[in-house]
Amino acid sequence: MGFSETNDCQPRCVICLKVLPNSSMYPGKLRRHFEKNHPDYEGKTTDYFKRKRTELLAFQNKIKTHVQTDNENALRASYMVSYRIAQKGEAHTIAETLIKPCLIDIATCMLDEKFAKQLSTIPLSNNTVARRIADLATNVEQTLVSIIKYRKFALQMDESTDVACLAILLVFVRYENIHSFKEDLLFCRPLLSNTTGVQIFGLLDGFFTENKIPWTNCIDVCTDGAKAMVGATAGAVAKIKEKSKEIRSSHCILHRHALAMKTMPFSLKNVMDDAIKIINFIKSRPLKSRLFKILCDDMGSLHSTLLFHTEVRWLSRGKALTRLMELRTEVLSFLMDHNVTLGEIMNDVTRLCQFSYLADIFSKMNELSLSLQGRTMTIFDASHKVSAFKRKIDYWAQCTTKGKFECFPIMQAFLEENDEQVSTNIVNEIIEHLKQLKNSFEQYFPADREVLLKDHEWVLNPFSVCMKPSSLSSSDYERLIDLTSDLTLKSSFNSNSYAEFWLSLKDKSYEGLSEKAKTLFLPFATTYLCESGFSSYAATKTKYRNRLNVEPDLRLQLSKIKPDIAKLCQNKQPHASH
């Protein structure tokens, strides 16, 4: 009669594929359907209907597999698009309002409606993207936690306030990963009430307890030196040291450098204030700023705007003063028409000479600041750069005493252009400033710290050590002698980085030396990652997205760990978008 049964034991016609209710299971009703609807098939053999049933089952399986595969691909695509959105810090709604319509338009134009229809099944709504990003961030966090649970690591942390007036704590971690050191975001969470050391430690300790990370694995904490961080009794670092006596702490070299460069004689401070007044007179008024731009364009200037000076930005002084000196002719012409008093300052050769010196010295400090920024900066790298800068200050002071200013290129160019000689008063001011600057650097970067690091420099070149460093025991020094006598290891040292070389020895007979070297390379020298992290945070959480929980997005932006999308898809039931 041409019927087979469905999974629900209902009769299905193998010719028209119609499913009849259970009440139609009587032979008479089935025969009536066959004779009424398919009279042309009367007389067909049983084998013919069996073949039709086989074709029907194969077609059903094909449809089921195809639908399941499309849904799985749509789920995977949803995760991949969400990952891209988080990495770029874009709004979650961009997937549904821009990316998906663009994909459909491209598929319609370049392929056909069938492909466009498949792309429309990818779930990319605002809430879906937010959930996907949360899943991806959780996967990355779990991977990171599983690593640092069993390895030594160092921390850097800083606190700031966002656009929604939330106090945010950023914590980064540096840890050993096979034959190198990796840096990653540990967490980004709000401090709900006060920003005291107790609150900061409570948030950090809660994360460690929640993820079962032992405090004994932490060897160093780098902070910006704020009281809430380094207070002797209630500071976050003091509370951390109560958990483990072996943990060391350090003050960010970038912050120390920023504090050291604030030192300035009163006379030069007045010169700096005059420069800021001139810049603000033009830049803080939109009309004057537009008129100045027109003037610069008419004069064919290299630049058309001045730069604001902002105290909290480390590179601000050098950049603002350098731009002022580059546009001094244009500024003078503009001020003579709008503010004669400030114009007279820009027409004073002595004052311009002082401007040029400040532009030079702060530009040199900017070079040091930039060289201290970046990932993988170790305490040795930073110490060497600061030590070199101290020696440069001595050299600049010697040149200034002799009346030679070639070490200050902007000042030298100004003097040659105007055929001027530097007065004795200005020379004395420069020497006094350099002297104060050197004393300030000695205060924030004491020599005993450099001596201590120098005693550990065997990790930078173990093959040049001739005498036993005081930081090594006798047995360790004997191991070091064995190591330096191995020509194969010397070749490996010359061809690999410090980290790769020392970490490659951890499974050999030099494990003790490898562990000591690791504790010297792990600590952070600066809180650069926190500073750049807050920049990414501010770009992601804007006034238009001030209720966003930024941690998942920020983790995917800053983390070097790739989420396991295939694993996440296995644990999800694929559903197509409607």
Side-chain angles (χ1 to χ4, degrees):
M1 290 179 286
F3 277 87
S4 67
E5 65 177 356
T6 65
N7 293 334
D8 298 329
C9 298
Q10 293 176 298
R12 186 205 308 267
C13 178
V14 297
I15 300 173
C16 66
L17 307 182
K18 184 174 181 179
V19 178
L20 303 182
N22 287 333
S23 59
S24 300
M25 288 291 285
Y26 294 104
K29 293 184 178 182
L30 298 180
R31 186 177 299 279
R32 188 183 308 118
H33 171 85
F34 180 77
E35 292 175 349
K36 180 180 178 181
N37 295 287
H38 312 295
D40 297 338
Y41 289 86
E42 280 196 57
K44 296 289 186 181
T45 63
T46 305
D47 291 337
Y48 173 80
F49 292 109
K50 286 182 178 180
R51 287 197 305 272
K52 295 292 286 185
R53 182 183 63 182
T54 304
E55 292 173 2
L56 172 62
L57 292 175
F59 179 69
Q60 288 176 336
N61 291 333
K62 183 178 179 180
I63 291 178
K64 182 178 180 181
T65 303
H66 179 70
V67 171
Q68 184 178 10
T69 303
D70 281 352
N71 286 351
E72 289 175 348
N73 289 338
L75 176 64
R76 184 178 180 84
S78 176
Y79 270 108
M80 295 177 72
V81 172
S82 300
Y83 184 45
R84 297 273 187 184
I85 292 171
Q87 283 189 309
K88 295 300 181 182
E90 297 291 344
H92 300 167
T93 54
I94 197 174
E96 192 174 31
T97 59
L98 180 62
I99 296 176
K100 191 171 180 178
C102 287
L103 288 174
I104 293 173
D105 291 343
I106 292 170
T108 302
C109 295
M110 303 299 294
L111 300 170
D112 55 34
E113 292 290 344
K114 178 182 176 182
F115 286 99
K117 189 174 181 180
Q118 282 183 295
L119 290 176
S120 67
T121 63
I122 302 175
L124 290 175
S125 68
N126 178 44
N127 292 340
T128 300
V129 170
R131 290 196 303 270
R132 300 284 188 260
I133 290 174
D135 291 342
L136 293 165
T138 301
N139 181 263
V140 171
E141 180 183 330
Q142 290 172 350
T143 303
L144 176 63
V145 169
S146 67
I147 295 173
I148 65 175
K149 266 185 183 180
Y150 308 103
R151 299 180 187 178
K152 298 292 184 182
F153 59 84
L155 300 176
Q156 66 167 269
M157 58 183 183
D158 199 1
E159 173 268 327
S160 186
T161 305
D162 67 10
V163 69
C165 297
L166 279 176
I168 302 298
L169 179 67
L170 266 186
V171 183
F172 282 82
V173 60
R174 178 184 284 170
Y175 58 93
E176 171 198 348
N177 184 38
I178 308 177
H179 295 308
S180 63
F181 294 112
K182 300 292 185 182
E183 298 165 343
D184 219 307
L185 174 67
L186 188 62
F187 68 80
C188 164
R189 294 186 179 177
L191 294 159
L192 299 180
S193 56
N194 299 331
T195 58
T196 61
V198 175
Q199 296 290 335
I200 292 172
F201 170 74
L203 196 60
L204 189 60
D205 188 50
F207 181 86
F208 274 52
T209 304
E210 176 187 345
N211 294 283
K212 300 179 181 177
I213 303 172
W215 275 107
T216 51
N217 285 5
C218 181
I219 64 171
D220 189 271
V221 181
C222 182
T223 66
D224 61 355
K227 186 176 180 181
M229 295 290 184
V230 298
T233 56
V237 173
K239 295 296 182 182
I240 291 172
K241 289 182 177 180
E242 291 178 6
K243 285 287 185 177
S244 175
K245 302 297 182 183
E246 303 298 321
I247 297 178
R248 302 189 300 272
S249 62
S250 58
H251 184 181
C252 169
I253 289 181
L254 280 171
H255 282 84
R256 281 188 277 165
H257 169 260
L259 292 172
M261 67 185 290
K262 289 180 180 292
T263 302
M264 190 184 302
F266 183 74
S267 56
L268 288 181
K269 178 68 170 57
N270 290 336
V271 173
M272 185 71 195
D273 291 342
D274 287 341
I276 295 173
K277 286 179 184 177
I278 292 170
I279 294 171
N280 289 346
F281 177 79
I282 298 174
K283 282 286 290 179
S284 62
R285 296 167 175 82
L287 174 59
K288 289 184 172 56
S289 187
R290 294 195 299 271
L291 294 175
F292 183 73
K293 183 179 184 303
I294 294 172
L295 175 64
C296 291
D297 291 339
D298 291 341
M299 296 179 69
S301 305
L302 183 63
H303 308 288
S304 59
T305 59
L306 296 173
L307 300 177
F308 267 130
H309 166 65
T310 306
E311 187 67 28
V312 297
R313 295 189 178 181
W314 299 328
L315 310 181
S316 178
R317 289 184 182 180
K319 289 187 174 183
L321 288 169
T322 300
R323 180 63 62 84
L324 179 63
M325 287 302 298
E326 290 174 344
L327 295 176
R328 59 183 179 275
T329 304
E330 293 82 351
V331 171
L332 174 60
S333 176
F334 183 84
L335 291 177
M336 283 304 183
D337 294 333
H338 296 84
N339 191 319
V340 178
T341 304
L342 293 179
E344 290 175 352
I345 295 176
M346 289 301 297
N347 200 29
D348 187 345
V349 176
T350 301
R351 191 53 58 94
L352 287 175
C353 186
Q354 293 169 318
F355 284 165
S356 63
Y357 162 72
L358 290 178
D360 273 317
I361 193 65
F362 286 121
S363 294
K364 291 181 182 294
M365 292 189 196
N366 286 359
E367 292 175 8
L368 174 61
S369 179
L370 288 171
S371 69
L372 293 172
Q373 298 179 42
R375 290 177 174 267
T376 69
M377 174 67 63
T378 67
I379 55 176
F380 294 103
D381 298 329
S383 177
H384 294 161
K385 294 179 185 299
V386 172
S387 180
F389 190 78
K390 289 181 184 179
R391 293 174 58 190
K392 288 178 183 178
I393 294 176
D394 292 333
Y395 169 68
W396 299 332
Q398 292 173 9
C399 290
T400 304
T401 303
K402 296 176 183 179
K404 299 178 180 179
F405 301 97
E406 61 269 15
C407 51
F408 301 123
I410 298 176
M411 185 177 180
Q412 179 76 5
F414 173 76
L415 294 175
E416 292 176 354
E417 179 183 335
N418 294 275
D419 195 21
E420 290 287 338
Q421 296 293 325
V422 182
S423 66
T424 305
N425 289 337
I426 294 180
V427 170
N428 292 336
E429 285 179 356
I430 294 174
I431 294 174
E432 178 64 22
H433 182 220
L434 293 174
K435 182 180 178 180
Q436 290 184 13
L437 193 61
K438 178 66 180 296
N439 293 336
S440 184
F441 267 78
E442 292 290 355
Q443 175 187 350
Y444 286 103
F445 303 97
D448 56 347
R449 175 70 174 174
E450 295 179 9
V451 172
L452 180 63
L453 289 176
K454 193 170 183 179
D455 190 55
H456 289 87
E457 285 193 347
W458 56 269
V459 300
L460 301 181
N461 192 357
F463 297 93
S464 65
V465 176
C466 300
M467 299 179 61
K468 174 184 171 299
S470 61
S471 58
L472 293 179
S473 63
S474 296
S475 60
D476 286 334
Y477 184 55
E478 290 173 4
R479 291 290 185 191
L480 184 62
I481 294 174
D482 292 337
L483 184 151
T484 55
S485 302
D486 192 327
L487 296 180
T488 304
L489 292 178
K490 187 173 183 179
S491 175
S492 174
F493 179 80
N494 292 331
S495 59
N496 295 316
S497 67
Y498 300 138
E500 290 173 340
F501 173 75
W502 286 110
L503 292 177
S504 66
L505 301 178
K506 63 183 179 181
D507 298 327
K508 300 180 181 179
S509 56
Y510 309 110
E511 184 178 358
L513 290 174
S514 177
E515 287 297 317
K516 287 183 179 293
K518 184 167 63 177
T519 59
L520 294 170
F521 285 122
L522 271 178
F524 287 102
T526 69
T527 57
Y528 166 79
L529 292 178
C530 288
E531 300 294 342
S532 59
F534 279 124
S535 296
S536 300
Y537 185 101
T540 303
K541 186 172 183 177
T542 64
K543 64 179 182 180
Y544 303 108
R545 306 172 68 195
N546 56 20
R547 290 187 295 173
L548 177 69
N549 175 21
V550 184
E551 183 174 14
D553 298 71
L554 196 66
R555 185 178 294 282
L556 296 180
Q557 279 187 61
L558 304 180
S559 178
K560 298 298 181 182
I561 299 174
K562 300 295 182 183
D564 190 346
I565 294 178
K567 181 181 178 181
L568 291 171
C569 291
Q570 289 176 0
N571 299 328
K572 291 287 184 179
Q573 177 68 39
H575 291 290
S577 178
H578 300 291

